[in-house]
Amino acid sequence: MSAPRDARTRTTAVVLAGGTGQRVGLSIPKQLLKIAGKAVIEHTLAVFEQAPCIDDIVVLMAPGYVPDVEKIVAKAGFTKVTRVVEGGATRNETTERAISLLGEGLAEGEDRNVLFHDAVRPLLSEHVIAGCVDALERYQAVDVAIPSADTIIVTRTHGDDGEFITDIPDRSRLRRGQTPQAFKLSTIRRAYEVAASDPNFQATDDCSVVLKYLPDVPVHVVAGDEYNMKVTQPVDVFIADKLFQLASTAAPAQADEAAYRELLSGKTMVVFGGSYGIGADIAEMAEGYGATVYALGRSTTGTHVEDPEHVDDALSKAYAETGRIDYVVNTAGVLRIGKLAETDNSTIQEALNVNYLAPVQIARASYKYLVETKGQLLLYTSSSYTRGRAEYSLYSSTKAAMVNLTQALADEWAGEGIRVNCVNPERTATPMRTKAFGEEPAGSLLSSEAVARTSLDVLLSELTGHVIDVRQQDPTRGASEASGFEQALAAVLDRHGDV
C-alpha cells in the first residue's frame, strides 16, 4: 500500500506515445495496435486511471494521431487525462515538451511528482507505480529495473571477421531498465537545462540525463517486474496478447452487507446451472440481498441449457414476470475425463453442447434483455484453459473457448453498455468435481460459497472483458496483492483448477 503523500505534492503520469510501428511492421503507431480487444495505449492509460496515487495524466502522442487518442480517452471515460498533445521528433524533445507543459501554472517554489512511462508498456502494475511515488518521498530521481536473467557480453567488431567478446560484466550487478522513470519536476527540468549546453547531448531515457548532468543527485531503483514488458518487436505483440488473456483481475468487494442490498434490491438475475454448487450459492446470496432470482437447472426445473428453447423460455419468463433482466449467469458444465480416441460420439457431443454451444446460445438469447438494463453476462472457465492436458481435451478446449468468447463479446457489446466477464476458480468443492475425482483432502479446495461471493462482486462491478481468478489466499498475503504476472503464472501452474 502506498504511504500517505504530502497533500501539496501533485503526481502526474506522462505517457510517452511518440513511437511508430515500423519495427512491428505496422502502418500505424504501435500504441494504437489492438491487444486483448483494446488499443495498447488504452490498457496503459487504464492502469494510471485506476492508480490512487496518480492525480492526472498527460499524453504525448505521435504527430498526426492526437485525435485517435482523444477518441479512446472519451470512449473509455478516462477522467484523469487532462491533455493529449503531439510529442517531439525524439524522446528527448518529447520529454522537454512535457516538462514545459507541466511547469505551466506552477507557483514560485511549487513542485510536483512526474512519472514518465512508455505507452507501449501496457502491463504495468499498480504496485510498481506506488513504489515510484513512495520513493519520491525520499529521492528526487527514481528508476524501475529488474535483474538480468541473461549473461551480458560486450563485443567489438573486427573488420569483415565480425564481432568478438571483449568483456563479460558481473551479471549480479546488471539490471534491465523499465519505466516509469519518476522525478521531482524541478530535478528533471534542471537536468535538461544543464544538458542543453552540451552540443553532443542525446539520451534514450531520462534517468541517464540526471545521472550525467546532475551527478550529485542519486537515482534510486525501484523493483519492477517481468510482466512490465515493452511491445517493440513482432513477437512482443503475441506475448502481450497472451499475457493479457492469462492475467487475472481482482473484483472490487463491496464495503458491507448494506451495499450488496442496495445494489441488488429490485434487480433480476437468471442463473443457469443453479441447481447446486456455485450456481445455487450465487442464487441464494443474491436472493438474500433482495434480487429476484431464477435458479435453473436440469435436476430442479428441468432446464437443459443445451436446448435453445429451454433457454429462451427461461429468459422470457423472467422478463415477463419482472420486466427486466440485469444479470445472466451460466455455471452449467460437464467434466468428462478420458482419452479422446476412446471417447464415443455421444460424450463428445454432450461436452460441446453443454460447455460451448449452450453459453453461445445463452449469450445470444440474453442480448436483447441485457441491452435494456446495461447488464452483465457472467461465464465460467477453468485454469485448464491456459494449456490443454492429456485426457482433458474436451474440457480444456471448451473452457479456453469461454475466455475467447468473453473477450470477444465484451468488445462487441461495449457500445451497448453490456458487460461480459469470466470467473476462473481454482479447484473448487462442487458435486461435479466430487463425481470426477471423489473425496479430496479437507482444506485443499475452495468452497463454492467463496466463488459465489466473488461472482457477486464481479456482477456488481464495472469490469468487462476480464478473467477473474478466485484462489485460496496465502494467510500472509491476499490474492489481490500478487502481481498480475504472479497470478497468471499461478494459473498456468495449477494442474486441477476445474470448476
Side-chain angles (χ1 to χ4, degrees), residues 45-372:
L45 292 173
V47 178
F48 286 111
E49 177 79 18
Q50 295 160 12
C53 55
I54 297 298
D55 297 303
D56 59 305
I57 305 167
V58 174
V59 182
L60 283 95
M61 185 60 188
Y65 292 94
V66 167
D68 297 84
V69 177
E70 290 176 334
K71 289 177 184 177
I72 289 171
V73 170
K75 181 179 178 182
F78 292 142
T79 59
K80 290 184 181 180
V81 178
T82 57
R83 301 186 73 168
V84 181
V85 298
E86 286 192 353
T90 65
R91 169 64 179 265
N92 301 146
E93 286 183 22
T94 300
T95 297
E96 288 181 289
R97 189 165 295 182
I99 292 171
S100 177
L101 289 172
L102 296 178
E104 294 175 0
L106 284 184
E108 183 70 27
E110 186 181 358
D111 209 349
R112 73 164 68 193
N113 298 331
V114 55
L115 277 62
F116 293 101
H117 185 68
D118 298 325
V120 288
R121 291 186 186 271
L123 291 152
L124 175 65
S125 60
E126 284 190 27
H127 76 85
V128 171
I129 297 173
C132 289
V133 176
D134 286 346
L136 286 176
E137 302 256 341
R138 296 184 58 193
Y139 305 99
Q140 299 176 53
V142 178
D143 202 354
V144 171
I146 57 175
S148 175
D150 297 315
T151 296
I152 305 299
I153 62 174
V154 180
T155 67
R156 179 176 296 170
T157 301
H158 290 275
D160 296 333
D161 293 331
E163 290 185 301
F164 295 85
I165 294 177
T166 60
D167 191 21
I168 301 178
D170 179 4
R171 190 175 68 184
S172 67
R173 297 184 59 194
L174 297 178
R175 299 292 182 269
R176 290 158 51 199
Q178 300 181 331
T179 62
Q181 293 187 328
F183 309 91
K184 292 296 184 183
L185 178 60
S186 58
T187 299
I188 191 64
R189 180 197 291 124
R190 185 156 49 95
Y192 270 88
E193 287 171 351
V194 176
S197 62
D198 181 355
N200 299 315
F201 168 61
Q202 61 178 23
T204 57
D205 74 292
D206 298 309
C207 280
S208 65
V209 180
V210 173
L211 191 67
K212 182 174 182 179
Y213 297 102
L214 298 180
D216 293 333
V217 175
V219 181
H220 181 69
V221 178
V222 167
D225 61 50
E226 292 282 355
Y227 211 45
N228 187 20
M229 64 175 291
K230 187 175 183 180
V231 179
T232 303
Q233 303 296 337
V235 68
D236 300 331
V237 177
F238 172 77
I239 294 172
D241 195 66
K242 297 308 292 183
L243 286 174
F244 266 114
Q245 186 184 53
L246 295 175
S248 63
T249 302
Q254 298 305 311
D256 51 34
E257 296 288 293
Y260 287 102
R261 293 189 188 92
E262 180 180 351
L263 292 168
L264 284 167
S265 181
K267 301 294 176 65
T268 299
M269 179 183 297
V270 178
V271 182
F272 293 98
S275 295
Y276 53 78
I278 297 169
D281 289 333
I282 293 171
E284 183 179 351
M285 285 183 186
E287 199 165 46
Y289 290 127
T292 300
V293 181
Y294 293 81
L296 308 159
R298 182 175 303 192
S299 60
T300 51
T301 61
T303 304
H304 293 243
V305 292
E306 65 272 30
D307 188 330
E309 289 189 9
H310 284 204
V311 171
D312 284 336
D313 290 346
L315 291 169
S316 61
K317 178 184 177 183
Y319 185 79
E321 292 180 356
T322 67
R324 62 186 299 134
I325 295 178
D326 301 275
Y327 309 109
V328 177
V329 180
N330 179 47
T331 66
V334 293
L335 174 59
R336 300 290 181 255
I337 302 172
K339 297 178 180 179
L340 184 62
E342 299 172 2
T343 304
D344 58 52
N345 287 336
S346 62
T347 301
I348 292 173
Q349 197 62 53
E350 177 197 37
L352 293 176
N353 287 343
V354 176
N355 291 350
Y356 179 66
L357 292 178
V360 169
Q361 296 290 358
I362 289 170
R364 289 182 67 225
S366 300
Y367 172 82
K368 64 181 179 182
Y369 303 110
L370 295 177
V371 77
E372 286 188 12

Side-chain angles (χ1 to χ4, degrees), residues 468-496:
I468 297 91
D469 276 2
V470 188
R471 303 190 172 281
Q472 296 194 74
Q473 291 191 6
D474 182 316
T476 64
R477 187 185 190 199
S480 61
E481 294 179 58
S483 71
F485 179 75
E486 289 169 330
Q487 293 183 42
L489 182 60
V492 173
L493 296 177
D494 186 5
R495 297 290 293 172
H496 298 288

Side-chain angles (χ1 to χ4, degrees), residues 370-431:
L370 295 177
V371 77
E372 286 188 12
T373 58
K374 310 299 181 188
Q376 182 175 162
L377 171 66
L378 187 61
L379 303 175
Y380 287 77
T381 187
S382 154
S383 64
S384 62
Y385 85 84
T386 60
R387 186 179 188 279
R389 56 186 185 269
E391 301 189 14
Y392 283 77
S393 58
L394 294 174
Y395 190 72
S396 296
S397 58
T398 54
K399 288 304 178 183
M402 287 306 96
V403 172
N404 283 276
L405 180 64
T406 294
Q407 294 168 336
L409 289 180
D411 194 28
E412 191 173 315
W413 292 352
E416 284 88 354
I418 303 175
R419 288 160 290 130
V420 187
N421 290 296
C422 191
V423 171
N424 177 30
E426 69 172 345
R427 297 174 298 171
T428 306
T430 63

Side-chain angles (χ1 to χ4, degrees), residues 335 337 389 392 427 431-440 495-499:
L335 174 59
I337 302 172
R389 56 186 185 269
Y392 283 77
R427 297 174 298 171
M432 183 178 76
R433 183 174 178 86
T434 301
K435 182 178 179 181
F437 298 105
E439 293 295 331
E440 297 176 87
R495 297 290 293 172
H496 298 288
D498 307 304
V499 176

